[in-house]
Amino acid sequence: QSTNGYPFTIVTASATSNRCFAVSNANAILRGFTITGANCGVRPSGGLYYNGCGVYLSGGLVTNCLIRNNIGINSYGVGIFMTGGTVANCFISTNIASGGNYSDGGGVSMTGGLVDNCTIVGNFGEGGLGWPYGGGVQMTGGILRNCVIAWNNTRNISGGGIAMDGGTVDRCMIW
C-alpha cells in the first residue's frame, strides 16, 4: 500500500523488467500506485507472449491505482491481465497492445475475476488471428461492473471498447 496515493507513488518498470506487478495471493492488496512504463513482448527464450505488462492478477485486490502507458507486443491485457481477483476504483488508460498475432485487450484482458467501478479509457488493441480484439477490454469470463469504458480503439473492426466472448457486463457506460 502506498502512503500518499497514486499521484505521488509511481512504480515504473525497469529497463530489464517486463511486468510491474504479479499478484496471486487471495489476501494481497495493491493499493494507491501509479503503474507505468512496462514494456513486454516476445520472450527472449522464444515463448509466444507475456500477459499483464502492468499487472498480472490471479488473486487478491488491486484498488485505487492508475495503470497507464504500458506497451505490449504479442500480449494480452497490457494494463491488467486477470484470471481471478478484483480490480476496483482504478483508472486504466493509454495502454497499447500491438504487433504480432496475440495483441488483445490494451486496457484489460480477463478470463475471470471482477472489475468494479473502474474507468477504462484511451487504450488500444491491435488484435490478430481472428481472436476478439478489445482496445479497452477483451473478456472471455469474469464480471465487468459499474465501469466507464470510453475512447478505446482497435486496428481491427471489432471491439474497440469491449470484445466479449464470455463473462458478464453489468451497469457499465460504453462509448
Side-chain angles (χ1 to χ4, degrees):
Q1 174 174 320
S2 70
T3 302
N4 297 313
Y6 72 83
F8 304 101
T9 311
I10 300 169
V11 176
T12 303
S14 71
T16 59
S17 176
N18 293 20
R19 177 180 293 133
C20 289
F21 290 100
V23 182
S24 60
N25 186 298
N27 296 315
I29 299 174
L30 183 64
R31 177 181 290 134
F33 294 94
T34 293
I35 300 166
T36 189
N39 188 351
C40 53
V42 178
R43 296 178 187 182
S45 62
L48 287 177
Y49 50 86
Y50 271 114
N51 295 333
C53 301
V55 178
Y56 184 100
L57 179 67
S58 58
L61 171 66
V62 176
T63 186
N64 299 322
C65 289
L66 170 59
I67 301 162
R68 67 173 182 174
N69 299 336
N70 298 291
I71 299 171
I73 299 170
N74 272 344
S75 299
Y76 286 98
V78 174
I80 299 175
F81 179 82
M82 60 189 300
T83 60
T86 299
V87 177
N89 306 311
C90 291
F91 193 85
I92 303 162
S93 71
T94 56
N95 298 287
I96 300 171
S98 72
N101 294 321
Y102 304 95
S103 297
D104 304 321
V108 177
S109 180
M110 59 191 304
T111 62
L114 170 66
V115 176
D116 189 30
N117 198 37
C118 292
T119 300
I120 302 167
V121 61
N123 299 285
F124 180 79
E126 187 167 358
L129 291 182
W131 297 97
Y133 306 129
V137 178
Q138 184 264 342
M139 64 187 301
T140 59
I143 300 169
L144 189 63
R145 181 174 66 202
N146 298 322
C147 293
V148 174
I149 296 128
W151 300 300
N152 299 285
N153 204 348
T154 181
R155 178 181 62 95
N156 295 306
I157 297 169
S158 64
I162 299 175
M164 183 176 174
D165 193 29
T168 301
V169 176
D170 182 27
R171 295 177 301 220
C172 293
M173 293 191 307
I174 305 163
W175 76 90

